Amino acid sequence: MNEDYRAVLKYREVLLTERGRQRLALVSASLPGIWRSQSRSEELVVQALTAREFYQRDKQYVIQDGKIVIVDEFTGRLMPNRTWRQGMHQAVEAREQVALSDPVKPWPGLVSRGFSGFSGT
């Protein structure tokens, strides 16, 4: 068992232990920029660990023409125009040492519009 984090398979999440948080704070104190923010550095490390622990090449994704292509886990089909959100796609790209893509931002019109008239029935 790792003393710095726990990988929870049921929820596909990584949780830093108190020891892991302390070690990250110690290491990141000497790093520039975003690494000085404790919450942001924890977020980046958790994303990287999640990519390492739960995203497997040739199962969740393949590398095609130097890019990460998501594989639909139910059908096995490739989804070349899809990306994972919240930086996970970039974490997998970094793990595989391919060129990093720009994070996709949500559509402001979709977020700000109301959905009146939509029904769940």
Side-chain angles (χ1 to χ4, degrees):
M1 183 174 143
N2 191 303
E3 296 179 13
D4 295 325
Y5 69 93
R6 285 186 317 130
V8 183
L9 182 61
K10 181 177 180 178
Y11 300 113
R12 287 179 71 158
E13 70 179 357
V14 169
L15 304 170
L16 292 179
T17 62
E18 188 57 38
R19 181 176 184 265
R21 280 190 192 88
Q22 290 172 357
R23 287 187 66 195
L24 178 58
L26 183 65
V27 170
S28 63
S30 63
L31 297 174
I34 61 172
W35 290 102
R36 292 211 177 145
S37 165
Q38 182 178 354
S39 61
R40 183 65 175 139
S41 62
E42 284 184 19
E43 179 183 339
L44 291 169
V45 167
V46 165
Q47 282 179 328
L49 291 170
T50 301
R52 184 174 82 177
E53 294 289 333
F54 299 116
Y55 289 75
Q56 300 172 12
R57 186 175 184 172
D58 297 326
K59 186 173 181 181
Q60 280 86 17
Y61 66 92
V62 296
I63 299 177
Q64 213 173 52
D65 298 325
K67 295 181 180 183
I68 300 295
V69 177
I70 296 174
V71 175
D72 184 299
E73 292 185 50
F74 298 106
T75 66
R77 287 182 169 168
L78 299 181
M79 300 188 299
N81 297 322
R82 297 276 179 98
T83 60
W84 292 299
R85 61 187 176 150
Q86 298 177 336
M88 186 53 63
H89 205 86
Q90 290 73 27
V92 173
E93 289 170 333
R95 172 188 172 188
E96 293 294 344
Q97 298 180 345
V98 300
L100 297 180
S101 61
D102 290 329
V104 176
K105 296 189 174 153
W107 293 358
L110 186 60
V111 173
S112 64
R113 269 189 225 136
F115 287 100
S116 60
F118 278 76
S119 172
T121 57

